[in-house]
Amino acid sequence: MALSLGSRRVKAPSGMVWRVGRRWLSRDLPKLRRLDADRGADAALESAWYLPGDIDIDLDLDEVGGVLMAIAVAVIVVTVAVPLLIFGIELLVVILLLLGSILARTVFGHPWVVLAIPSDGSGTLAWKVTGWQRSGQLIEKVSAELASGATPLPDDPRTPDQG
C-alpha cells in the first residue's frame, strides 16, 4: 500500500492543469489581522533615547573578561538554542496534530474531502470519501480521468459535494 500525503498535479489534454488531493482541514484558516507598524512607534523611540542617571562603572580586567564571556554565551543562546527549541516544539505540535487528525478521521468515520481544483479556479469538484485508502484510490481514479480528458464522475450520486 502506497502512502500518498500530497496532492497531484494533472495536465488535461486541453492544457488545463488540475490539482487533485485531500482537504486536510474541515474549515478555512482564520484571517489574520495585519498589525499596524506605526502604532506605538513613537513610544518605542522615546524609550530608546532614555538614559538613566549617573552610572558608576569600575571594573577590573578579570570582570571585563567575565562580562564579555557572558555576553558571548547569551548571544549564542539567543541566536541558536532558543530558535532551535522553538522550531522543535512547533514541529512536534504539527506532527501531533497531523496524527490526531488522521486518527480522529479513522476512529470517528469523518469523511475525507477529495478536491479537484483547476488552475483557473473555476469548477472545483469535491467528493466525500470515508477511509484513507478509498480516498487515495479516488485521487488516483480522478487523476487518471482528468489526464485522459474525461470529466470525472462520482460512483454514487449522493456522495459528491460539487461546487
Side-chain angles (χ1 to χ4, degrees):
M1 180 174 106
L3 179 68
S4 86
L5 294 175
S7 60
R8 301 192 191 295
R9 291 201 181 275
V10 178
K11 187 170 185 178
S14 65
M16 176 75 69
V17 177
W18 291 76
R19 194 178 78 217
V20 182
R22 294 175 188 91
R23 182 171 66 186
W24 287 86
L25 298 175
S26 299
R27 54 185 108 113
D28 292 334
L29 292 174
K31 301 275 186 203
L32 299 177
R33 293 182 298 179
R34 185 174 171 189
L35 297 177
D36 187 8
D38 294 333
R39 185 176 38 186
D42 294 334
L45 284 175
E46 289 298 321
S47 66
W49 292 107
Y50 172 75
L51 294 174
D54 294 334
I55 299 174
D56 186 21
I57 300 177
D58 186 23
L59 298 174
D60 293 349
L61 198 53
D62 292 338
E63 291 175 352
V64 170
V67 168
L68 290 176
M69 183 62 101
I71 290 173
V73 168
V75 166
I76 290 172
V77 166
V78 167
T79 59
V80 176
V82 172
L84 282 176
L85 181 66
I86 291 172
F87 176 73
I89 291 170
E90 287 178 354
L91 186 63
L92 183 64
V93 167
V94 167
I95 289 171
L96 288 175
L97 286 174
L98 178 67
L99 292 175
S101 171
I102 292 173
L103 182 67
R105 286 182 183 268
T106 304
V107 170
F108 298 120
H110 189 74
W112 289 97
V113 178
V114 175
L115 295 175
I117 304 169
S119 58
D120 65 357
S122 64
T124 300
L125 303 173
W127 295 266
K128 290 183 180 181
V129 181
T130 304
W132 180 268
Q133 190 172 11
R134 287 186 61 211
S135 65
Q137 291 169 351
L138 181 63
I139 289 172
E140 293 295 327
K141 177 183 170 195
V142 169
S143 298
E145 288 180 5
L146 287 171
S148 69
T151 302
L153 297 174
D155 294 329
D156 182 5
R158 293 173 295 165
T159 58
D161 180 18
Q162 295 185 4

